[in-house]
Amino acid sequence: MKRKQLLLILAIFTSWILSSCTKSEQELKEARSYVDKGQFRTAISYYDMAITRYEDSELSLLAAREAARVSLFEIKDYKKAAEYFSYLVLRSSDYKERILSQKQITNIYFDHLSDYPKSIIELNKLINMLEDVNEKNQLKIKLARAYYYQNDFTQAENEVNDLLIGNITEEIRFELLMLKGNIRLGKRNLSGAAEVFKEVLVKFP
């Protein structure tokens, strides 16, 4: 009797799992069909259902990848795209995918949304995730620019000065000195700006 009850419970449980998987797969198929029709916002709603039904599964990651692409390139809903990339950063087991997703997030907030306070947060996250020194330096320049664009000239100059004392290429040094000169112009420190631009002319004739 107990054996029959156990088999019945297992059969019901297996049936429920298979049914749920089929529904999630169906939602993904529906999303793709709406993408093919050009009905991108409807597709996004199906991607969202697939993501939430089986959170942390490979299926949800696949849905998030496709939804991020549609949001970024098709409907240009940048905030929504950033949400999907954030999902991948937090839940993907693939290190490269997490890095690429975080790069997309920083690009969205810096280049597309011009949200510099948020850019600073996301850039710092990305810098801490990377190992390559040159890539870190390029991002730190972007970080300094984010401070500069939101008129935090003191912090922007601090970021530049920290980079200038490090081991950097001459190309990066030139870029940093030009930025530093502009920062000082932003501070209305005309003599300080002139000093920096004079240094540029001497070092890069």
Side-chain angles (χ1 to χ4, degrees), residues 58-161:
E58 184 54 42
L59 189 65
S60 71
L61 292 174
L62 180 58
R65 290 181 197 114
E66 294 183 17
R69 184 191 62 77
V70 171
S71 298
L72 184 60
F73 297 112
E74 302 296 349
I75 61 176
K76 302 190 187 318
D77 186 339
Y78 298 117
K79 287 188 177 181
K80 191 74 172 172
E83 290 176 9
Y84 294 124
F85 286 121
S86 294
Y87 184 89
L88 293 170
V89 170
L90 291 172
R91 301 180 189 279
S92 176
S93 60
D94 186 329
Y95 172 75
K96 289 183 179 179
E97 180 171 46
R98 294 198 303 273
I99 293 291
L100 289 172
S101 296
Q102 187 62 34
K103 285 180 178 179
Q104 289 285 11
I105 294 167
T106 60
N107 289 336
I108 285 169
Y109 284 110
F110 190 92
D111 297 321
H112 294 293
L113 298 176
S114 300
D115 184 340
Y116 300 117
K118 185 66 173 174
S119 296
I120 289 165
I121 293 169
E122 299 301 337
L123 279 164
N124 277 313
K125 288 180 186 177
L126 181 55
I127 289 166
N128 290 330
M129 291 170 73
L130 294 172
E131 297 177 359
D132 183 79
V133 174
N134 289 331
E135 197 170 4
K136 279 177 177 276
N137 286 342
Q138 288 292 342
L139 288 169
K140 287 177 181 178
I141 295 173
K142 204 168 189 177
L143 181 62
R145 290 190 187 281
Y147 281 116
Y148 170 67
Y149 290 146
Q150 66 174 19
N151 297 325
D152 189 347
F153 301 123
T154 299
Q155 187 58 41
E157 189 164 358
N158 288 341
E159 296 290 339
V160 169
N161 288 336

Side-chain angles (χ1 to χ4, degrees), residues 6-57:
L6 181 60
L7 289 172
L8 179 61
I9 291 169
L10 286 173
I12 293 170
F13 181 73
T14 301
S15 175
W16 176 78
I17 290 291
L18 290 173
S19 173
S20 298
C21 288
T22 302
K23 284 180 181 178
S24 291
E25 290 168 2
Q26 184 60 36
E27 284 155 359
L28 197 57
K29 288 177 182 177
E30 289 286 347
R32 288 170 175 169
S33 73
Y34 280 111
V35 168
D36 291 340
K37 296 172 188 174
Q39 298 178 30
F40 301 115
R41 294 194 181 277
T42 304
I44 287 294
S45 67
Y46 279 95
Y47 282 127
D48 285 341
M49 284 188 279
I51 290 167
T52 56
R53 185 177 293 276
Y54 276 105
E55 201 170 5
D56 295 328
S57 71

Side-chain angles (χ1 to χ4, degrees), residues 136-196:
K136 279 177 177 276
N137 286 342
Q138 288 292 342
L139 288 169
K140 287 177 181 178
I141 295 173
K142 204 168 189 177
L143 181 62
R145 290 190 187 281
Y147 281 116
Y148 170 67
Y149 290 146
Q150 66 174 19
N151 297 325
D152 189 347
F153 301 123
T154 299
Q155 187 58 41
E157 189 164 358
N158 288 341
E159 296 290 339
V160 169
N161 288 336
D162 285 346
L163 282 167
L164 284 170
I165 62 175
N167 184 20
I168 55 176
T169 65
E170 288 303 294
E171 183 181 357
I172 289 177
R173 187 174 301 280
F174 174 80
E175 189 175 353
L176 287 169
L177 287 171
M178 292 299 295
L179 177 56
K180 185 173 181 176
N182 286 322
I183 290 167
R184 290 193 174 177
L185 285 176
K187 289 180 172 180
R188 289 175 169 72
N189 180 358
L190 300 183
S191 61
E195 182 183 321
V196 174

